[in-house]
Amino acid sequence: MDDEETELRNPFPSPPSHYTRYTNHNLKLLELLKERASEGVDISTLNQYDVLSDQTDVPEWPLATLEKPRVDWILEEGHYTVFGDTWFIKETIPSLAELGGHQLYPQDPGVDRRPALRSILRSLLVTYSKLLTSLLAPPPTSSSEGEPEWKQHLEWINVLAQNVMAAANDLRPVQARGNLELMMRRQLELRREETKTIHSKCDSLEAQLAELRQSAQSLSSAASANPSQGATSSSVPPPDPSQMSHEDVLRWAEELV
């Protein structure tokens, strides 16, 4: 019980517990059972204890459960069942007629449905107007007149609305394809904008490096042309300390700075 509760609380459930049965020993027993069985005999109907009496560790559960599913049967039937759920090989959206409804537009996707859908919308508006008129009419004087008119209009509106919703559901793959195209185009535009920004930044950095390189070359050429100019211009000879006052020392220090 504790293991089951832990399994239910686990957001990523473990594989089914029967996967532990697919051991090398059990698979060898399955192959041996198939070899010893008569041709055309279903191994699920055999008594595996009698057929494999000379083998050890024969499991209690039937070895036939280890058989691989028949892919040809799945392709022939068009669906398969896993843990009680039926999955179709080719996912299709059932039409309104297949679901038991009254379909008013053509089923063939190659046929233009717009004229039929326009007729459905016009009929829906006309029926809605008739429904309001029938609701404003005075109640019948006797109960032998049959089904009320407003109920008939309401049933027809229900049929028309089902057709509109079914036609809209048929267009969901087209809408998904269009949304995917728009998303991919937007991603492409964003990448182009990011690439353009990176290129402009690289061009700006290259221009700055070129200016710095040119400035360094100018300074090096100027220094090589006048090697003693910087030293003579920046050096200030100190005055004679015996003839200096306090103000002269401060002035001389400021000149050095």
Side-chain angles (χ1 to χ4, degrees):
M1 187 65 183
D2 295 337
D3 296 338
E4 294 180 358
E5 293 179 355
T6 305
E7 187 70 22
L8 292 175
R9 289 196 299 266
N10 189 2
F12 301 101
S14 304
S17 58
H18 64 265
Y19 83 96
T20 56
R21 299 179 177 180
Y22 289 86
T23 61
N24 294 331
H25 177 70
N26 292 336
L27 293 177
K28 290 180 180 179
L29 291 177
L30 176 63
E31 293 296 330
L32 187 60
L33 179 64
K34 293 167 64 177
E35 291 176 1
R36 296 183 179 181
S38 304
E39 185 176 357
V41 176
D42 188 3
I43 61 175
S44 61
T45 60
L46 297 177
N47 188 348
Q48 60 188 22
Y49 293 102
D50 296 338
V51 179
L52 303 174
S53 58
D54 57 339
Q55 301 295 321
T56 59
D57 297 333
V58 178
E60 298 179 357
W61 43 268
L63 289 170
T65 57
L66 300 180
E67 276 276 71
K68 296 180 180 179
R70 293 288 300 271
V71 180
D72 54 341
W73 292 356
I74 295 175
L75 295 176
E76 181 180 354
E77 296 177 358
H79 61 84
Y80 59 94
T81 303
V82 178
F83 301 123
D85 296 331
T86 301
W87 300 87
F88 292 92
I89 298 177
K90 185 178 180 181
E91 293 292 338
T92 57
I93 300 176
S95 62
L96 182 60
E98 294 174 350
L99 294 176
H102 186 190
Q103 186 168 332
L104 302 176
Y105 58 89
Q107 177 61 27
D108 188 3
V111 179
D112 190 5
R113 299 179 178 179
R114 287 176 293 182
L117 294 178
R118 292 192 187 100
S119 300
I120 292 174
L121 290 177
R122 285 194 295 267
S123 179
L124 185 61
L125 294 174
V126 173
T127 309
Y128 181 73
S129 177
K130 292 181 179 180
L131 175 63
L132 295 180
T133 303
S134 61
L135 290 176
L136 295 175
T141 56
S142 62
S143 59
S144 61
E145 295 183 2
E147 190 177 20
E149 184 181 359
W150 63 267
K151 190 173 183 180
Q152 298 177 2
H153 295 326
L154 194 61
E155 292 176 354
W156 183 239
I157 288 176
N158 187 20
V159 172
L160 296 175
Q162 289 178 358
N163 279 266
V164 173
M165 289 188 296
N169 289 332
D170 291 342
L171 294 176
R172 289 187 181 276
V174 181
Q175 181 186 13
R177 191 181 302 111
N179 292 338
L180 180 60
E181 291 178 358
L182 292 176
M183 183 178 65
M184 294 180 67
R185 289 179 181 176
R186 179 56 181 166
Q187 291 181 357
L188 185 59
E189 292 176 357
L190 290 175
R191 292 181 181 180
R192 286 177 177 174
E193 293 176 358
E194 292 176 355
T195 305
K196 185 178 179 180
T197 304
I198 292 174
H199 285 324
S200 61
K201 189 65 176 179
C202 291
D203 294 339
S204 176
L205 292 175
E206 288 179 357
Q208 293 180 5
L209 289 175
E211 292 178 359
L212 293 175
R213 192 180 297 110
Q214 185 177 2
S215 301
Q217 292 176 356
S218 301
L219 291 175
S220 61
S221 60
S224 60
N226 299 317
S228 62
Q229 182 179 359
T232 55
S233 60
S234 60
S235 61
V236 180
D240 187 4
S242 60
Q243 300 177 359
M244 290 176 59
S245 61
H246 181 67
E247 289 79 6
D248 294 335
V249 174
L250 292 177
R251 191 180 301 109
W252 177 71
E254 291 176 357
E255 291 177 357
L256 290 178
V257 175

